[in-house]
Amino acid sequence: MDNQQKIQNPKTQVPETPEMNDRDLANDLLSMEKYMTASYNTAMNEASHEALYRDLLSIFTETQNQQRKLYELMFKRGWYSLEAAEQQKLQQSYQQHQGYASQFPYGGQVQ
């Protein structure tokens, strides 16, 4: 039995026809925006000129904001769902990352 719990709003119905509907278009755009933000991120990491970096950062920020708006729209309409994390897995991850803090300089304290 699947213990995972979906986090999702009620689905906004769309016509099921061969043509792309609003959900299909939003999903296509979201996929494109995710790809573009990943690509701009790589380009920023490799930009050797400061002005180019700033231009890429500006475009990246606009693209990321659009991606977020699409995600929020899809989630609101029930076209995007999430899986609730199990408390035990959250605790394990927390403990694992707490262990990493001891490897930081200054005793794991942020300076």
Side-chain angles (χ1 to χ4, degrees), residues 80-107:
Y80 201 105
S81 63
L82 306 168
E83 297 290 332
E86 295 176 19
Q87 185 63 35
Q88 180 181 358
K89 288 183 180 179
L90 288 173
Q91 187 63 31
Q92 288 171 343
S93 181
Y94 175 78
Q95 289 172 350
Q96 178 184 4
H97 287 88
Q98 282 295 102
Y100 295 153
S102 66
Q103 299 173 21
F104 295 150
Y106 312 111

Side-chain angles (χ1 to χ4, degrees), residues 43-96:
M44 287 186 310
N45 287 338
E46 298 175 359
S48 60
H49 191 274
E50 186 62 28
L52 175 61
Y53 172 81
R54 285 192 307 268
D55 287 344
L56 289 168
L57 178 60
S58 176
I59 296 167
F60 169 84
T61 301
E62 289 176 29
T63 305
Q64 182 63 41
N65 290 340
Q66 291 304 312
Q67 182 273 323
R68 183 66 185 178
K69 287 178 184 176
L70 282 164
Y71 162 80
E72 289 171 346
L73 171 78
M74 292 186 71
F75 186 77
K76 179 180 176 182
R77 294 195 176 179
W79 300 337
Y80 201 105
S81 63
L82 306 168
E83 297 290 332
E86 295 176 19
Q87 185 63 35
Q88 180 181 358
K89 288 183 180 179
L90 288 173
Q91 187 63 31
Q92 288 171 343
S93 181
Y94 175 78
Q95 289 172 350
Q96 178 184 4

Side-chain angles (χ1 to χ4, degrees), residues 8-71:
Q8 180 177 18
N9 288 310
K11 285 187 179 180
T12 301
Q13 295 301 311
V14 292
E16 297 296 332
T17 63
E19 292 83 26
M20 290 183 75
N21 56 44
D22 288 347
R23 182 193 63 222
D24 297 333
L25 290 169
N27 192 52
D28 189 48
L29 287 169
L30 181 63
S31 295
M32 180 184 67
E33 295 290 346
K34 286 180 176 182
Y35 173 78
M36 289 174 60
T37 55
S39 297
Y40 283 128
N41 187 50
T42 299
M44 287 186 310
N45 287 338
E46 298 175 359
S48 60
H49 191 274
E50 186 62 28
L52 175 61
Y53 172 81
R54 285 192 307 268
D55 287 344
L56 289 168
L57 178 60
S58 176
I59 296 167
F60 169 84
T61 301
E62 289 176 29
T63 305
Q64 182 63 41
N65 290 340
Q66 291 304 312
Q67 182 273 323
R68 183 66 185 178
K69 287 178 184 176
L70 282 164
Y71 162 80

